Amino acid sequence: MPEVSVRRRRSAYERVVRPVLYRLGRGDAEVAHEQTLAGLRLLGRVPGAPRAAARLYGAAKAATPRTVFGVRFPSPVGLAAGMDKNGIALRAWPALGFGFVEVGTVTAHPQPGNEKPRLFRLVEHEAVINRMGFNNLGSEALAGRLAAYGDLGYPLGISIGKSKVTPLEDAVEDYVTSLSRLYRYGDYFAVNVSSPNTPGLRTLQDAGHLRELLTALHAEAAALTVAGLDPKPILVKIAPDLTTSAIDELLQVCTGTGVAGIIATNTTIGRPGVEAHPLAQQAGGLSGRPLAETSAKVVAHIHNETGGALPIIGVGGIVDAADATRLFDAGASLVQVYSGLIYRGPGLVRTINRSLP
């Protein structure tokens, strides 16, 4: 992978804020993550602070709104799942220019996730390896928090996954439980069957398992709609490590069960371009700049295979506006960022929004 150009003018975040964050917890990336969320949570609670931040970083109104799978997005640039798993900073994200936020991944049972340390920065590659393991407070706790928020004023996606303690044969019930608890609060739901950090989870991408899961989730959604709730789009988040034939089989299941869109892609178990890095042997999923080419290829394949009929949220490898443009050009209707925030800061969202036609 090509190195980041030294000629690029670094932002104030990169020069001043990022070095401080990287020293927190003696360099433990998860400590920096937690402290950043705590700061954003405080920002969202201070009267006038979100408005001031919006003036500084450029609100989402800099972009043209888009309507995708029936949901109106004030900006097509969203925050990917994993950053704010438990939804503690939801008042702050729009001030940074995000047009939507995806919380989670959340599970039916609260769980601590994998043993620490479990989050690693590969700074020279603008990459991250994580094996967090769906650490979250559970879907019931998230439902309570979202009820307390009330109307957020922007679209909220909710990523749901399988609890580690739940046997694979009971996975459907686990997902359905979370969907039922959270259905009234989400504008769309992402079915995460592609994280590499929960044992056996990726087998749910197989056609038979996936069809059973999606059929049950749509049945539950239909029942909740009959009970008086608005219908909500259900999306599937896929891995970047699938073969094209496996992707095609998965797409057939998705279109056959009424899935509203695809999120492409999750982290990769491969180590493209970072094989020689001392941290490359750490277990977990790789994200950040090294994933850019792979995610764009997967998005393009899905777009071509479905004739553009199935909306795509492109995610993976976005660290500048050109990366986002590549995903839009490949066929994505929306994009999400996460690892790029770690390296480029909140100005990245403003830059992408201003680059859009």
Side-chain angles (χ1 to χ4, degrees):
M1 296 294 294
E3 296 297 327
V4 180
S5 171
V6 296
R7 294 192 182 95
R8 184 180 63 84
R9 183 178 179 181
R10 296 193 305 160
S11 66
Y13 166 85
E14 293 171 88
R15 297 192 312 271
V16 180
V17 179
R18 194 173 80 176
V20 174
L21 288 175
Y22 284 12
R23 287 195 295 269
L24 293 175
R26 296 183 177 179
D28 186 337
E30 189 169 355
V31 173
H33 181 135
E34 292 170 350
Q35 291 298 313
T36 298
L37 275 181
L40 288 167
R41 184 181 193 180
L42 179 61
L43 172 72
R45 290 179 168 180
V46 175
R51 187 176 302 172
R55 286 196 298 268
L56 178 62
Y57 289 111
K61 65 182 181 182
T64 303
R66 301 186 183 188
T67 298
V68 184
F69 40 78
V71 178
R72 186 179 184 277
F73 295 86
S75 159
V77 184
L79 180 70
M83 181 66 190
D84 194 356
K85 293 175 184 290
N86 296 303
I88 69 170
L90 295 183
R91 294 293 185 200
W93 296 115
L96 303 186
F98 286 107
F100 65 105
V101 172
E102 191 173 306
V103 296
T105 293
V106 65
T107 54
H109 299 283
Q111 56 187 42
N114 294 323
E115 186 177 346
K116 299 179 181 181
R118 55 195 181 182
L119 186 65
F120 308 91
R121 293 182 293 252
L122 286 66
V123 177
E124 56 267 52
H125 297 285
E126 294 187 297
V128 173
I129 292 174
N130 94 82
R131 54 171 179 266
M132 304 299 286
F134 290 169
N135 56 308
N136 74 105
L137 299 176
S139 53
E140 187 171 7
L142 180 60
R145 178 170 285 115
L146 295 177
Y149 272 119
D151 182 18
L152 290 168
Y154 63 84
L156 180 72
I158 302 177
S159 176
I160 56 176
K162 184 187 81 68
S163 305
K164 187 175 183 179
V165 297
T166 300
L168 196 61
E169 58 267 25
D170 297 328
V172 170
E173 181 181 356
D174 200 80
Y175 280 89
V176 168
T177 296
S178 291
L179 181 73
S180 179
R181 288 172 175 168
L182 295 164
Y183 197 74
R184 69 177 61 247
Y185 305 112
D187 292 284
Y188 73 84
F189 288 85
V191 182
N192 189 342
V193 289
S194 52
S195 169
N197 300 317
T198 295
L201 185 77
R202 286 189 168 192
T203 63
L204 295 175
Q205 294 177 116
D206 297 343
H209 286 127
L210 186 61
R211 185 176 292 107
E212 179 186 8
L213 174 59
L214 293 174
T215 299
L217 289 171
H218 278 104
E220 179 67 13
L224 292 167
T225 301
V226 169
L229 298 179
D230 294 333
K232 307 294 176 65
I234 294 177
L235 287 71
V236 173
K237 187 169 187 176
I238 71 170
D241 308 308
L242 295 174
T243 63
T244 54
S245 60
I247 292 174
D248 294 345
E249 187 176 35
L250 180 147
L251 292 175
Q252 289 178 0
V253 173
C254 289
T255 54
T257 54
V259 164
I262 300 291
I263 302 176
T265 64
N266 213 317
T267 58
T268 178
I269 57 174
R271 296 293 182 263
V274 304
E275 297 90 346
H277 194 281
L279 293 173
Q281 299 307 311
Q282 290 287 347
L286 176 74
S287 61
R289 182 178 282 281
L291 197 54
E293 183 176 350
T294 300
S295 59
K297 286 181 177 178
V298 174
V299 168
H301 179 79
I302 295 170
H303 180 74
N304 292 334
E305 186 67 19
T306 62
L310 197 61
I312 304 166
I313 300 180
V315 55
I318 299 177
V319 298
D320 58 32
D323 296 322
T325 297
R326 175 156 58 169
L327 288 180
F328 284 126
D329 290 344
S333 300
L334 307 166
V335 297
Q336 293 175 329
V337 298
Y338 177 2
S339 299
L341 285 178
I342 297 172
Y343 291 104
R344 300 296 179 91
L348 171 63
V349 186
R350 175 186 58 201
T351 300
I352 298 172
N353 276 326
R354 289 181 174 178
S355 73
L356 297 173

